[in-house]
Amino acid sequence: MDFAISINPQAALPLHRQVYEELRWGILSGRLTPGQKLPSTRMLAQSLSISRATVTLSYEQLLSEGYLETIVGSGTFVCRQIPDDLLNTAPIESKLQPTTTSISLSAYGQILSDKAFLRLPEAELEINFNYGRPAFDKFPIDLWRQLLARHCRPNSNVLDYTIYSMGYQPLREAIATYLTRSRAVKCSAEQIIIVGGSQQGLDLITRLFINRGDGIALEEPGYLGARRAFLAQGASLCPVPVDTSGLIVSHLTTGIIPNIKLVYVTPSHQFPTGGVLSLPRRLELLAWAQKSGVMIIEDDYDSEYRYGERPIPALQGLDQGNCVIYLGTFSKVLFPALRLGYLVVPDDLVSIFARAKWLADRQCSLLEQYALTDFITEGHLERHIRRMRSLYNQRRQTLVQSLLSHFGDRVTILGENAGMHLMIKIHTHLNDDEIIQRAALAGVSMVAAYPNYLKTSPGSEFILGYAELNESQISEGVRRLAQIVSHLPQPRQTK
Amino acid sequence: MDFAISINPQAALPLHRQVYEELRWGILSGRLTPGQKLPSTRMLAQSLSISRATVTLSYEQLLSEGYLETIVGSGTFVCRQIPDDLLNTAPIESKLQPTTTSISLSAYGQILSDKAFLRLPEAELEINFNYGRPAFDKFPIDLWRQLLARHCRPNSNVLDYTIYSMGYQPLREAIATYLTRSRAVKCSAEQIIIVGGSQQGLDLITRLFINRGDGIALEEPGYLGARRAFLAQGASLCPVPVDTSGLIVSHLTTGIIPNIKLVYVTPSHQFPTGGVLSLPRRLELLAWAQKSGVMIIEDDYDSEYRYGERPIPALQGLDQGNCVIYLGTFSKVLFPALRLGYLVVPDDLVSIFARAKWLADRQCSLLEQYALTDFITEGHLERHIRRMRSLYNQRRQTLVQSLLSHFGDRVTILGENAGMHLMIKIHTHLNDDEIIQRAALAGVSMVAAYPNYLKTSPGSEFILGYAELNESQISEGVRRLAQIVSHLPQPRQTK
């Protein structure tokens, strides 16, 4: 019998009862299987250092209850016909799992039980224009390994809880310095909360500000991951249209929108259309938010990448009313599997966010925070951004040129000269899903823009990520896409 | 001027207007400071490759609006007296931050805004009996570094998003195998959700099952971290007393407790009292939960450590009603800063938990999941547990012996021969805070049990973690604690 049993001579329960309980438990839990032979009373008594009479007493009780059976000349066995209907001996594979229909989910759980709410991703194809992914092969992974190894050493402090849930203090300082210099964010290290990527940042903000039914204004179209977090929390969403200068703020300020608590914006590079929120609109938005007691979430997800231009200063730096929460991530500039991002929150919200972070998952992985600190303070981050800016600029130009040469006037390219993706409108009679399906057959995946619309999408819009693809992949991918469209008559342009 | 400005010749906005906007923005955002000299129109035109007339037009506009001033013979400067009341030039340090009093938090946010809800930890002392921390110096950190380095290589897949938010598939498989063998958990890899430590597991469960006002039954006393997650979500808590055999289940089954959705238990090693939930109670709890449509959270936080005995099979393995969610963590057996734990959930809840994990933070850090997979599958986990079990057993014995020899009959030791802490009751007239304060003055920190009680604590109970301390620290710490108590008259024992 490879099933050891535990007894405690100091316990109040008599020893024979303990042995009985342990064996019965072993049978009920399936660790002792029907027909399995038990050790002799002598052997078990010896191995447990208790008297043989004690073991005999236990065995007799189990025999009388039908858990064990004796086969003369052979020994004692777990009964093949266990009487207890609680017993579950079927192997997992064949076990009929009863559904937990009687369980009632929370309102949050019910929203998440809808399969359409968040679909699992599709398999990848030969050429992926899926957005949000950097050039993995250009990340200095050897350097990253060295930085990890530097801190993953005996007597380092990477194993323990941090004192505060807001994150590793030198990392908070490095991020504050970086943001002040490169993004004109006005903050001290004390305002930085390290979070597990921007999704966690969005989730924490939503939980802290939104009761069911509270309003959130957001860009239309806008980032789906944010919208999901808002909807799951039961927010009432108020889509505000965008144009080439970003959110049309006058729709907010002149419209009558009840009970708005948050406004979600991507001012540096509107997702997915690519516009940059103009200065007059920034000032208008800030003034309105301050007056209305509304918090602005500034999601600065890929602001590092502007080609031939300096990054645009953050909205947060213009704020004088403490009504902006700034959100950034290292998923785009380093790599997505590094689950580290940050919030910059007004001073008087820091401790509340710290508690929310503690409750959510206590803190982020410490070793990666150490490595990231060095990556920033030793200049690797800005160097890497400069390199990627140049690379992505080339890739973007290749994409634009390929689109123009293969599609001609069948395509309109939207968005600023920035970021890691662009949006296109294809002039075609095919509907979006047909194009996606035909592209997939040609080994090309891309994402339609329509899921990012809360209301009806104008259609025929697609988001093309280019950061991960080399120039020949880009031009080949566009060639295949153009073939799909060119086989079909071009629609009359209505404008 | 080290302030580069961005213009876009393709944009609809005229170039002189773009230059104007950029400079005004630079001034408003504080990147151009009062008194700062601007380049000449000729130089700026040259650097932007635009006509000098365009730049002159922009400068004139800014001069007329008072943003710039000209000093004859010197050049053009940012005005020292900016007319715009939006301008904010004070440095961060001296800036008076208006408080965001107008912001209304959610009900969740309001709970978290109470400072008493979650206090920041205290500074550490010379000898820390604080619980929950393993022997950091015994963790095989050189091996861990090698495992990280093995996967942190060019062409590895550690940089990208995982396809599914449930976690890295080989890790899910390794955990399922480990739990089946060592904990008698009945599960397949598909039921495993990798989470950012057990706190995230508790948070996800709470969000998915609890609406404001829903009931959660929990052990009294019980784990504070769980209680905080429940309270923050607005749950109504029903404390159920424990004895040396864990939760007194009959209080649940015979009491009239309305609207209970979840029961939170630590069956292997009741926190903090140390009891083990008996088999009859396990069966009673499962039968009641199944009948009542209640989910059980089985928090198996330190079940690896039983001394001289095999770990006790998990409650989950006895469940036939799919009403147990099993929760485990690597914080105790590896190290706390590794934010990896796992849930085992019934089949029909997997996709809902996967969506909740996606919304919370998309996925856990991938590199650490790779390293952990190897750590488990190559046998390091079980080897490390065996080593630590032997070490902690020694340390526990030292603690018990020290307590008995220094305190005599002034102390009662509670709990099973298991885990990484034990609970003591000191027979003294001092109140708990006095003892904590006097201990701190003697360089010893420990934690009173009373915060783990929802109702009134009996008092004089303390939780002593011993896993992190060597034997001389333990005996010296106990000696100092005993001195505090021995200077005072011993209370008459009431029983």
Side-chain angles (χ1 to χ4, degrees), chain A residues 272-438:
Chain A
T273 65
V276 177
L277 192 64
S278 69
L279 179 66
R281 288 191 184 174
R282 287 175 188 238
L283 298 175
E284 189 185 358
L285 178 61
L286 287 168
W288 174 80
Q290 189 168 0
K291 195 186 67 190
S292 319
V294 167
M295 289 299 286
I296 298 168
I297 309 173
E298 177 177 22
D299 187 349
D300 214 18
Y301 64 104
D302 73 355
S303 59
E304 294 82 2
Y305 297 124
R306 297 197 67 79
Y307 309 118
E309 305 161 3
R310 273 179 79 102
I312 290 165
L315 185 65
Q316 194 269 5
L318 293 172
D319 174 31
Q320 291 185 88
N322 278 343
C323 56
V324 174
I325 297 176
Y326 178 92
L327 172 61
T329 177
F330 293 102
S331 294
K332 306 280 179 278
V333 291
L334 273 78
F335 54 93
L338 178 75
R339 303 311 299 150
L340 291 175
Y342 46 87
L343 296 174
V344 184
V345 306
D347 281 323
D348 55 349
L349 291 174
V350 170
S351 62
I352 295 174
F353 271 92
R355 291 186 197 109
K357 172 65 182 168
W358 195 101
L359 285 174
D361 59 6
R362 297 194 66 153
Q363 66 180 61
C364 290
S365 163
L366 198 49
L367 179 59
E368 293 180 319
Q369 291 188 65
Y370 272 68
L372 180 57
T373 306
D374 290 354
F375 195 80
I376 299 172
T377 57
E378 295 174 14
H380 305 299
L381 176 67
E382 294 189 62
R383 202 170 304 130
H384 181 61
I385 289 172
R386 277 199 302 277
R387 280 202 206 101
M388 292 307 101
R389 197 181 282 146
S390 158
L391 180 76
Y392 297 164
N393 188 21
Q394 278 180 349
R395 291 180 173 183
R396 183 182 176 92
Q397 285 175 19
T398 303
L399 177 57
V400 169
Q401 287 310 315
S402 301
L403 285 166
L404 294 177
S405 68
H406 287 293
F407 278 84
D409 54 5
R410 286 170 189 263
V411 72
T412 304
I413 300 169
L414 294 95
E416 288 285 313
N417 190 16
M420 297 161 65
H421 70 268
L422 50 76
M423 192 162 116
I424 59 170
K425 188 171 178 74
I426 299 177
H427 307 297
T428 173
H429 281 308
L430 290 174
N431 74 34
D432 295 5
D433 288 333
E434 281 172 327
I435 292 179
I436 297 284
Q437 282 164 22
R438 290 177 190 221

Side-chain angles (χ1 to χ4, degrees), chain B residues 39 120 146 223 228 236 303 324 391:
Chain B
L120 296 172
Q146 287 160 25
Y223 174 54
R228 284 180 183 141
S236 167
S303 59
V324 175
L391 180 76

Side-chain angles (χ1 to χ4, degrees), chain A residues 23-32 67-68 78 82 87:
Chain A
L23 289 173
R24 181 169 176 271
W25 192 341
I27 294 166
L28 286 174
S29 69
R31 293 214 293 171
L32 291 171
Y67 286 93
L68 301 181
V78 177
I82 302 291
L87 182 60

